């Protein structure tokens, strides 16, 4: 027989003790209740019967004594009378004692009333007894006998009646008490029976438990094990992780928790299925990466590994081990945690790190390229300047000046790219929308890029959709910047004799909004797919070797993409390596109000006009056919001179009116072809040469050959139509190419200049010396406001410096515009400042200024602005305090010595250029330069923690130094200005400022001594 578990033995023992205790308690309770009921009946009998019985006996004795006493009185026996009276007293005392005993018992209200009645009867009896005794003692036997005869029977009857009434009440109370005790006894018996039943039931359960225990101990153990397994499964289902159990030999699933069922979208019934069928996708046998074989080989060592599940496409970190299951069976358990988000985060961090490293590397390479891109034109400028100074041949000087101009423009382009990128990085890049002529803008772009294409003998073609709006509203400068960048890249990366095509079409139009598509294609080196992915990234180029071979900053396309995005468009590339590239972009523009387009004059009969175009480029021939078709003109094309002559010979009866001839063709050039055409057709046929932008070298020979007109490549519809109209005798005003000479005589005008730096005032006076304009100077905004308020009609225009002490330019202009004078709202005001960002210009315009000139002042821009705002019909009489300052005659430029030893601190040539080579003025300004005082003031303001004033003073020093060619001093002043404006501590820059100032003063003194200036 199997032994019982210890916990089960203890449980049975406790049950047995409980049954014994209940049985004992039932017996005790039954006995106690029975005894209690019996005692209650005996006490009740004694309590109710004994007092009444005594009273009845006493009353009987009293009646007996009363009769005997009466007889004794009749016998007149004194001894017997005394004995009987004594007996009567004894009975009376017994009655009193019985009354006290009765009164001590618990009485109801009715019993209390009856007892009071009985007490009254007893009191009368006592009075009767005392009266009889007194009469007998006095020897008055007759009266005593009379009292006894008269009162004795009555009192005895009353006494008996009172006892009967009281006895009746007590008997009723006794019967009620007995009934109550019977009921209690019955209840007690019921409780005792119930307790006995419960005790029997408990004993029966105890016996049944013993029977079950002895008959099926193994079944109990199995149930306990099943219960433990259920608890375990509930625990596993509650885990926030995927978990399953399988047979390591058959791979059959034994258990999957709820989390895993939800994760893999499984049904409840997974019987007879393998783990790789349910938990993987596309597997027909055990997975190659399954850890079970490793676990079977080493069951005590868990295996931890990561998995990219083929069913859920998620990443999991799995822990597999061998554990015991039911009946001690060894099973395979896998615990899986979803790490997809962790993997994604890790990938993001890795990508971010790679991107940061790539950006850092790109910026390092960018800085290296910037150094190269900026030093190369600077070296060219300095070198060509030195060559030009020493050159005796005028042609050589012109060559050097041309190269200096090219290098300067290249350097300006690099600087503009850097400034644009800085605005993009600062999220301050904005568009300035206005109406402009689209074709005119494209012609201006071609004027810039054509010479580069001509140097490489490239064919540059422009195709314009005839449905394009002639005027559009957009940012002309930024759109021109994008197209110029794309064309420049195409020319740069296309080999000699290649072809670049610019195509502009209108994709759609709705609500006066047009979507334009601009394409620039070439047959150059092309771009690989890998390089295309980095093409529009800031500071990147397609290949690092490109900058070394072709140059460039790597910013142009990134800036272009930003501009196109601001125009609600997109830009992309289609290219293959060594097969050329096509850049395409779309932009949204608003159609302009002015829609004047080039048209053929109505005076010309289209039906009689016959045109021939000769060009070896098929793109140019197709373009001619496209343009002529758009204008409704018939046109033939020829690929070379022989084909053209054949067409002309075939049209002898109806000869061509106008023949367009390309200058450079492989078989015969345009000039020789023109001679042959004239020989065949005579002088009436008009020949127009399609040439490069500069035809001055061939103009004389071409004219002699009979060529009537030149038009430059690339061809534009307006240029072709204007040429046809002009040839056919219709007057044409070509506004797009007409050059207007600027007027330099402003004698009838007066100027108010607000400028706090004396050097800048003298430079401005020198620049305007030959214009004849009268000038009044104010050293700050407050003085300028006072001068204008006193003489508002005396000034034709105001030049306003922005950064001045006391009152800056913005505040001054606002005060002028608010004056109650009509002229205050009419006078043109132009800002002068080195702040040239768009937001700076807009800030000037918001303050009430009409225009803006950047510092250092450009003489050409200054004259242009004066021409714009000074109309001869509105010139007031000069009322200035003095006329322009007169300076000594300029020295001849050829006598200039070499100043390269003063570079880079002192750029004498730059300073002289600013003053139009006025040496005497330049040296005078250098001699009187008060830079040391300004530097001392800046340092003092920095030390007293006044960054705003320090920035303003540094701004003034920057402008004055730049005008005099003090490049290093201007640069350090610019750094202090920017950092002080941004709240950056510039204390560490004071030593550099002092050192630069000292070095500048030494070189100025050296220069003045060399020039003999005292």
């Amino acid at each position: 027989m199997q032994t019982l578990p210890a916990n089960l033995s203890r449980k049975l023992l406790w049950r047995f003790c409980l049954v014994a205790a209940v049985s004992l308690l039932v017996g005790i309770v039954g006995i106690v209740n029975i005894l209690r009921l019996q005692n209650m009946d005996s006490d009740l009998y004694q309590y109710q019967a004994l007092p009444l019985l005594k009273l009845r006996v006493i009353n009987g004795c009293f009646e007996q004594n009363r009769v005997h006493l009466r007889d004794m009185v009749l016998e007149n026996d004194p001894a017997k009378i005394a004995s009987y009276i004594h007996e009567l007293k004894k009975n009376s005392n017994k009655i009193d004692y019985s009354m006290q005993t009765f009164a001590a018992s618990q009485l109801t209200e009715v019993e209390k009333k009856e007892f009071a009645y009985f007490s009254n009867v007893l009191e009368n009896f006592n009075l009767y007894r005392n009266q009889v005794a007194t009469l007998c003692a006095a020897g008055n036997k007759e009266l005593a006998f009379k009292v006894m005869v008269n009162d004795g029977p009555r009192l005895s009857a009353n006494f008996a009646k009172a006892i009967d009434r009281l006895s009746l009440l007590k008997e009723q109370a006794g019967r009620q008490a007995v009934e109550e005790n019977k009921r209690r006894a019955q209840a007690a018996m019921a409780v005792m029976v119930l307790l006995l039943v419960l005790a029997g039931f408990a004993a029966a359960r105890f016996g049944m438990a013993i029977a079950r225990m002895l008959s099926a101990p193994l079944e109990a153990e199995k149930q306990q094990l099943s219960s433990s397994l259920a608890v375990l499964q509930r625990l596993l289902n509650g885990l926030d992780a995927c978990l399953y159990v399988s047979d390591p030999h058959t791979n059959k699933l034994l258990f999957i928790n709820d989390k895993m069922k939800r994760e893999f979208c499984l049904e409840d019934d997974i019987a007879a299925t393998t783990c790789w069928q349910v938990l993987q996708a596309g597997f027909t046998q055990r997975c190659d990466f399954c850890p079970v074989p490793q676990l079977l080989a080493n069951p005590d060592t868990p295996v931890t590994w990561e998995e990219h599940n083929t069913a859920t496409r998620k990443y999991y970190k799995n822990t597999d081990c061998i554990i015991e299951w039911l009946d001690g069976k060894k099973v395979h358990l896998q615990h899986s945690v979803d790490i997809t988000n962790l993997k994604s985060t890790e990938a993001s961090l890795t990508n971010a790190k790679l991107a940061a490293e790539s950006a850092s590397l790109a910026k390092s390479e960018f800085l290296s390229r910037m150094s190269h891109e900026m030093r190369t034109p600077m070296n060219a400028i300095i070198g060509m300047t030195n060559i030009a100074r020493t050159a005796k041949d005028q042609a050589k000087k012109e060559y050097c000046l041309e190269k200096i101009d090219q290098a300067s423009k290249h350097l300006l382009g690099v600087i503009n790219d850097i400034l644009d990128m800085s605005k993009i990085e600062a999220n301050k890049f904005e568009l300035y929308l206005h109406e402009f002529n689209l074709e005119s803008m494209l012609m201006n772009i071609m004027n810039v890029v054509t010479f580069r294409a001509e140097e490489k003998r490239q064919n540059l073609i422009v195709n314009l959709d005839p449905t394009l709006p002639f005027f559009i509203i957009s940012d002309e400068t930024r759109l021109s910047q994008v197209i110029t960048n794309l064309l420049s890249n195409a020319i740069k990366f296309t080999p000699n004799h290649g072809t670049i095509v610019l195509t502009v079409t209108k994709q759609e139009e709705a609500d006066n909004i047009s979507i334009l598509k601009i394409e620039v294609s070439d047959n150059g080196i092309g771009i690989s797919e890998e390089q295309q992915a980095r093409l529009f990234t800031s500071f990147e180029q397609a290949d690092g070797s490109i900058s070394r071979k072709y140059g460039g900053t790597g910013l142009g396309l990134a800036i272009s993409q930003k501009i196109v995005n601001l125009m609600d468009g997109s830009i992309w590339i289609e290219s293959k390596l060594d097969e050329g590239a096509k850049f395409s972009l779309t932009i949204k523009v608003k159609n302009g109000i002015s829609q004047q387009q080039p048209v053929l004059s109505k005076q010309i009969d289209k039906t009689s006009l016959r045109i021939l175009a000769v060009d070896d480029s098929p793109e140019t021939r197709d373009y001619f056919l496209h343009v002529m078709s758009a204008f409704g003109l018939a046109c033939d094309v020829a690929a070379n001179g022989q084909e053209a002559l054949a067409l002309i010979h075939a049209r002898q009866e109806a000869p061509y009116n106008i023949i367009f001839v390309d200058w450079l063709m492989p078989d015969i050039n345009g000039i020789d072809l023109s001679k042959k055409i004239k020989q065949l057709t005579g002088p009436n046929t008009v020949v127009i040469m399609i040439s490069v932008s500069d035809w001055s070298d061939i103009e004389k020979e071409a004219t002699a050959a009979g060529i009537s007109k030149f038009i430059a490549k690339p061809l534009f519809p307006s240029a072709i139509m204007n040429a046809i109209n002009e040839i056919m005798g219709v007057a044409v005003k070509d506004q797009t190419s007409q050059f207007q000479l600027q007027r330099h005589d402003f004698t009838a005008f007066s100027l108010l200049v607000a400028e706090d730096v004396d050097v800048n005032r003298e430079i401005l006076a020198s620049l305007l010396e030959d214009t004849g304009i009268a000038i009044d100077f104010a050293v700050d905004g407050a003085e300028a406001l006072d001068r204008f308020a006193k003489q508002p009609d005396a000034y034709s225009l105001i030049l306003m410096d922005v950064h001045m002490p006391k009152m800056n330019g913005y505040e001054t202009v606002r005060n002028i515009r608010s004056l109650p004078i009509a002229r205050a709202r009419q006078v043109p005001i132009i800002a002068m400042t080195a702040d040239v960002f768009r937001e700076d210009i807009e800030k000037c315009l918001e303050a009430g200024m009409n225009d803006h000139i950047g510092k250092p002042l450009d003489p050409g821009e200054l004259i242009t602005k004066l021409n714009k705002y000074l109309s001869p019909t509105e010139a007031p009489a000069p009322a200035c305090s003095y006329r322009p300052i007169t300076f000594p005659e300029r020295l001849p430029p050829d006598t200039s010595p070499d100043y390269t030893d003063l570079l880079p601190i002192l750029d004498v040539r730059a300073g002289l250029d600013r003053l139009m080579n006025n040496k005497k003025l330049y040296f005078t300004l250098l001699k009187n330069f008060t830079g040391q005082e300004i530097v001392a003031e800046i340092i003092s303001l920095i030390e007293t923690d006044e960054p705003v004033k320090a920035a303003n003073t540094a701004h003034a020093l920057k402008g004055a130094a730049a005008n005099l060619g003090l490049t290093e001093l201007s640069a350090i002043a610019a750094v202090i200005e920017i950092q002080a404006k941004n709240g950056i501590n510039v204390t560490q820059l004071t030593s550099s400022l002092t050192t630069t100032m000292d070095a500048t003063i030494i070189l100025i003194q050296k220069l003045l001594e060399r020039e003999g200036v005292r």
Side-chain angles (χ1 to χ4, degrees):
M1 183 175 179
Q2 298 185 9
T3 59
L4 297 176
N7 59 343
L8 188 57
S9 299
R10 287 194 297 270
K11 187 180 295 184
L12 293 174
L13 180 61
W14 279 110
R15 286 184 177 181
F16 176 77
C17 294
L18 179 61
V19 171
V22 169
S23 300
L24 180 61
L25 179 61
V26 169
I28 294 173
V29 169
I31 294 172
V32 169
N33 276 279
I34 292 172
L35 294 176
R36 184 165 174 259
L37 289 174
Q38 291 178 353
N39 292 334
M40 286 176 59
D41 291 338
S42 176
D43 291 342
L44 181 61
Y45 173 76
Q46 293 177 5
Y47 171 76
Q48 298 292 344
L50 187 58
L52 293 175
L53 183 59
K54 288 181 178 181
L55 289 175
R56 290 182 186 275
V57 172
I58 293 170
N59 187 41
C61 295
F62 167 73
E63 180 64 24
Q64 217 174 15
N65 290 336
R66 181 183 64 81
V67 175
H68 285 298
L69 181 59
R70 184 188 61 187
D71 292 340
M72 291 299 105
V73 171
L74 291 178
E75 293 179 0
N76 196 17
D77 186 354
K80 288 185 179 183
I81 291 173
S83 174
Y84 284 118
I85 289 176
H86 176 71
E87 189 69 26
L88 189 61
K89 279 186 178 183
K90 286 175 61 178
N91 290 333
S92 178
N93 291 335
K94 290 180 179 181
I95 291 174
D96 291 338
Y97 175 77
S98 296
M99 289 297 295
Q100 292 175 2
T101 302
F102 188 79
S105 63
Q106 295 180 353
L107 304 176
T108 63
E109 291 298 325
V110 177
E111 290 174 343
K112 288 179 181 179
K113 291 181 181 180
E114 293 298 328
F115 185 74
Y117 171 75
F118 182 79
S119 298
N120 186 38
V121 172
L122 184 59
E123 185 179 356
N124 290 333
F125 177 76
N126 288 332
L127 290 175
Y128 162 75
R129 180 199 64 186
N130 292 333
Q131 184 181 10
V132 171
T134 303
L135 290 175
C136 287
N140 194 353
K141 298 178 183 179
E142 292 81 2
L143 185 58
F145 180 80
K146 184 179 180 180
V147 170
M148 291 172 62
V149 172
N150 294 331
D151 297 332
R154 178 178 56 83
L155 290 175
S156 179
N158 288 341
F159 191 80
K161 182 180 179 180
I163 291 174
D164 291 337
R165 290 175 60 181
L166 188 60
S167 177
L168 179 61
L169 288 174
K170 284 300 181 180
E171 287 178 1
Q172 292 176 352
R175 284 194 299 270
Q176 293 176 356
V178 170
E179 292 295 331
E180 181 67 23
N181 286 339
K182 287 182 180 180
R183 286 195 299 272
R184 290 181 181 179
Q186 291 173 356
M189 289 299 294
V191 171
M192 184 178 67
V193 171
L194 179 61
L195 291 176
L196 289 174
V197 171
L198 291 176
F201 179 74
R205 287 294 303 272
F206 174 73
M208 292 172 63
I210 293 296
R212 284 196 303 270
M213 178 188 65
L214 296 177
S215 62
L218 294 178
E219 183 67 25
E221 289 184 1
K222 185 176 180 180
Q223 290 180 357
Q224 184 179 9
L225 184 59
S226 298
S227 177
S228 300
L229 180 60
V231 172
L232 176 61
Q233 289 180 347
R234 286 197 295 270
L235 291 174
L236 296 180
N237 284 328
L239 292 177
D240 189 22
C242 296
L243 187 144
Y244 78 88
V245 177
S246 67
D247 189 319
H249 302 287
T250 64
N251 296 323
K252 295 293 181 65
L253 290 170
L254 303 177
F255 171 77
I256 294 183
N257 72 342
D258 293 342
K259 171 77 174 180
M260 198 164 203
K261 289 179 181 178
R262 292 191 299 269
E263 187 81 6
F264 287 79
C265 301
L266 301 178
E267 300 295 335
D268 292 335
D269 187 12
I270 57 169
T273 56
T274 60
C275 55
W276 45 265
Q277 287 177 324
V278 175
L279 305 179
Q280 298 292 341
F283 282 83
T284 57
Q285 59 184 0
R286 174 182 280 177
C287 311
D288 297 335
F289 47 82
C290 181
V292 171
Q294 183 179 349
L295 287 172
L296 291 176
N298 193 2
D300 295 331
T301 304
V303 178
T304 300
W305 56 292
E306 292 183 0
E307 170 197 5
H308 186 208
N309 191 271
T310 56
T312 63
R313 303 296 180 184
K314 293 183 179 181
Y315 288 91
Y316 298 94
K317 185 176 183 179
N318 302 327
T319 301
D320 294 74
C321 60
I322 299 294
I323 66 170
E324 287 189 3
W325 201 244
L326 289 175
D327 301 329
K329 182 179 180 179
K330 299 292 185 179
V331 296
H332 162 231
L333 170 69
Q334 183 180 95
H335 174 276
S336 302
V337 178
D338 187 351
I339 58 171
T340 304
N341 292 336
L342 179 62
K343 282 289 184 182
S344 177
T345 303
E346 288 179 355
S348 300
L349 291 175
T350 302
N351 293 336
K353 180 182 178 182
L354 293 176
E357 292 174 351
S358 176
S360 177
L361 179 61
K363 289 187 179 181
S364 299
E365 294 177 353
F366 167 75
L367 291 175
S368 176
R369 290 197 300 271
M370 286 300 98
S371 175
H372 171 77
E373 287 296 317
M374 297 181 76
R375 288 177 181 274
T376 299
M378 284 298 297
N379 291 335
I381 292 171
I382 295 172
M384 288 296 171
T385 301
N386 293 331
I387 294 173
R389 287 197 189 105
T390 58
K392 303 299 182 182
D393 185 13
Q394 184 62 30
K396 192 171 185 179
K397 287 181 179 290
E398 292 294 335
Y399 173 80
C400 292
L401 289 175
E402 181 181 354
K403 294 300 180 182
I404 291 172
D405 180 65
Q406 294 177 7
S408 300
K409 290 178 179 178
H410 176 74
L411 182 60
L412 180 61
V414 172
I415 294 173
N416 287 336
D417 282 349
I418 296 173
L419 293 176
D420 285 342
M421 201 65 227
S422 67
K423 286 193 286 185
I424 290 175
E425 293 287 329
N427 200 27
K428 292 185 178 180
F429 198 86
E430 298 177 354
L431 299 180
Y432 177 66
L433 304 181
H434 65 285
E435 187 178 73
F436 61 92
N437 187 318
L438 176 60
E439 186 176 335
S440 177
M441 179 203 72
L442 295 174
M443 292 176 69
N444 292 333
I445 293 173
M446 291 304 164
N447 291 337
V448 174
V449 301
T450 297
F451 79 95
R452 300 177 189 171
E454 291 173 355
E455 288 177 350
K456 302 177 72 172
R457 298 295 179 91
Q458 294 170 337
N459 191 20
L460 187 58
I461 300 171
V462 177
N463 290 326
L464 299 183
D465 185 351
T467 63
L468 286 172
F470 202 60
F471 283 83
I472 62 174
I473 298 175
S474 186
D475 190 325
E476 180 181 10
T477 302
R478 295 304 181 186
L479 181 58
S480 175
Q481 180 180 351
V482 174
I483 300 174
T484 301
N485 179 261
L486 296 179
L487 287 171
S488 299
N489 288 341
I491 294 170
K492 182 192 301 184
F493 300 123
T494 301
N496 294 349
H497 305 288
T499 300
I500 296 101
V501 180
L502 169 65
T503 304
V504 184
T505 58
K506 181 173 70 174
Q507 286 194 317
E508 59 181 90
E509 180 179 358
D511 298 330
N512 207 32
I513 300 294
S514 296
I515 297 180
L516 306 184
K517 184 178 183 180
I518 302 171
E519 296 177 345
V520 177
S521 58
D522 62 69
N523 56 358
I525 63 175
I527 304 173
S528 67
E529 292 185 3
E530 180 183 358
Q531 294 168 345
Q532 292 177 30
R534 305 193 307 268
L535 206 56
F536 295 100
T537 305
S538 304
F539 315 110
E540 289 273 2
Q541 285 187 324
D543 186 355
S545 62
I546 288 178
S547 63
R548 295 189 291 272
K549 183 176 181 180
Y550 297 99
T553 63
L555 294 177
L557 288 176
I559 296 172
S560 298
Q561 185 182 49
K562 177 65 176 180
I563 294 172
V564 171
N565 290 340
L566 289 175
M567 293 180 176
D568 295 330
S570 58
I571 183 171
W572 66 95
I573 180 176
E574 302 172 37
S575 177
K576 291 183 179 180
L577 200 60
D578 299 325
E579 295 184 12
K582 181 170 75 172
F583 283 87
S584 304
L585 63 95
T586 59
I587 58 171
K588 283 185 179 181
V589 299
K590 188 175 182 180
N591 298 337
I593 299 175
S594 303
Q595 291 299 329
Q596 178 183 0
Q597 299 187 16
V599 294
L600 191 67
S601 174
K602 295 181 179 180
Q603 303 175 20
I604 300 175
D605 184 8
K606 293 183 180 181
T607 59
S608 62
L609 195 61
R610 296 171 295 277
I611 299 172
L612 173 65
V614 186
D615 199 301
D616 59 316
S617 169
E619 293 85 2
T620 302
R621 297 195 301 271
D622 291 341
Y623 182 69
F624 256 106
L625 293 174
H626 174 73
V627 171
M628 295 305 173
S629 175
F631 286 102
L633 298 175
C635 178
D636 293 331
V637 294
N640 51 56
Q642 297 301 326
E643 187 178 340
L645 292 174
L647 288 173
I648 294 170
H649 184 75
R651 296 289 298 265
Q652 291 288 341
E653 297 181 0
Y656 293 106
N657 307 104
I658 301 174
I659 301 176
F660 291 90
V661 178
D662 186 24
W663 174 33
L664 295 176
M665 291 185 290
D667 60 338
I668 181 173
N669 64 41
I671 295 177
D672 293 339
L673 180 59
S674 297
K675 292 177 181 178
K676 293 184 178 184
I677 290 173
K678 289 292 184 178
Q679 292 173 1
L680 285 174
T681 62
N684 292 331
T685 301
V686 176
V687 180
I688 300 175
M689 177 163 283
I690 306 170
S691 175
V692 295
S693 58
D694 184 10
W695 54 78
S696 57
D697 294 339
I698 62 171
E699 184 175 8
K700 185 175 180 180
E701 183 183 0
T703 303
I707 294 174
S708 304
K709 189 173 179 60
F710 295 86
I711 60 174
K713 284 185 176 181
L715 299 171
F716 286 87
S718 60
I720 297 174
M721 286 301 103
N722 288 340
I724 294 174
N725 286 331
E726 186 177 346
I727 289 298
M728 301 304 293
V730 180
V732 177
K733 184 178 181 181
D734 185 6
Q735 297 180 350
T736 61
S737 60
Q738 186 178 11
F739 176 74
Q740 298 179 351
L741 293 177
Q742 291 187 338
R743 175 169 49 84
H744 298 294
D745 183 11
F746 300 109
T747 307
F749 299 92
S750 58
L751 187 66
L752 174 61
V753 179
E755 173 61 64
D756 60 315
V757 181
D758 52 355
V759 173
N760 292 341
R761 293 197 296 270
E762 294 186 36
I763 290 174
L764 185 62
S766 175
L767 293 176
L768 296 177
E769 178 183 2
D770 294 337
T771 65
I773 193 169
I775 305 175
D776 263 359
F777 285 105
V779 297
D780 54 52
E783 183 180 349
L785 176 63
D786 182 65
R787 283 179 178 272
F788 182 83
K790 290 179 180 178
Q791 293 180 300
D793 296 325
Y795 302 108
S796 309
L797 187 143
I798 300 175
L799 292 178
M800 183 69 63
D801 185 24
V802 171
H803 301 284
M804 294 182 293
K806 294 186 180 179
M807 185 183 295
N808 62 41
Y810 304 118
E811 186 178 356
T812 303
V813 172
R814 292 190 188 97
N815 289 333
I816 289 175
R817 295 301 190 196
S818 63
L819 291 173
I821 305 171
R823 182 62 181 164
R825 291 177 290 278
Q826 299 170 356
V827 61
I829 303 177
I830 301 176
M832 298 187 302
T833 176
D835 301 328
V836 294
F837 286 122
R838 173 72 63 189
E839 55 267 23
D840 300 319
I841 298 175
E842 291 178 352
K843 188 176 180 181
C844 295
L845 299 178
E846 290 173 359
M849 303 185 199
N850 301 86
D851 216 324
H852 173 278
I853 299 177
K855 285 185 178 181
L857 295 175
D858 178 79
E861 184 183 10
L862 178 60
I863 296 299
T864 300
K865 299 293 184 182
L866 293 179
N867 268 316
K868 179 179 180 181
Y869 291 101
L870 297 181
S871 172
T873 59
E874 298 179 0
C880 297
S881 57
Y882 58 91
R883 298 302 297 171
I885 302 173
T886 302
F887 294 99
E889 293 295 327
R890 303 183 182 92
L891 295 175
D894 289 340
T895 63
S896 301
D898 186 6
Y899 299 116
T900 56
D901 59 319
L902 305 177
L903 294 172
I905 297 176
L906 177 55
D907 190 345
V908 178
R909 180 53 54 195
L912 288 172
D913 289 344
R914 292 289 178 193
L915 298 178
M916 302 172 69
N917 205 41
N918 190 334
K919 272 194 170 183
K920 185 159 277 189
L921 172 61
Y922 179 66
F923 293 140
T924 301
L925 294 176
L926 285 180
K927 183 179 180 180
N928 298 326
F929 180 58
T930 59
Q932 289 174 304
E933 298 176 4
I934 301 176
V935 168
E937 183 180 356
I938 293 173
I939 294 174
S940 175
L941 292 171
I942 293 173
E943 291 175 348
T944 56
D945 195 19
E946 298 182 77
V948 177
K949 293 183 179 180
N952 292 336
T953 309
H955 175 84
L957 177 62
K958 176 186 70 174
N963 284 327
L964 295 176
L966 309 179
T967 54
E968 293 290 329
L969 184 61
S970 177
I972 187 67
V975 173
I976 292 176
E977 178 194 8
I978 294 173
Q979 293 192 4
K981 278 183 177 180
N982 294 326
I984 302 173
N985 191 344
V986 293
T987 305
Q988 70 277 8
L989 296 176
T990 55
S991 59
S992 299
L993 178 62
T994 304
T995 303
T996 305
M997 185 71 252
D998 294 341
T1000 301
I1001 293 299
I1002 292 173
L1003 291 182
I1004 289 175
Q1005 293 174 351
K1006 179 180 178 181
L1007 174 64
L1008 295 179
E1009 290 175 1
R1010 181 190 301 177
E1011 297 294 327
V1013 179
R1014 294 181 173 82

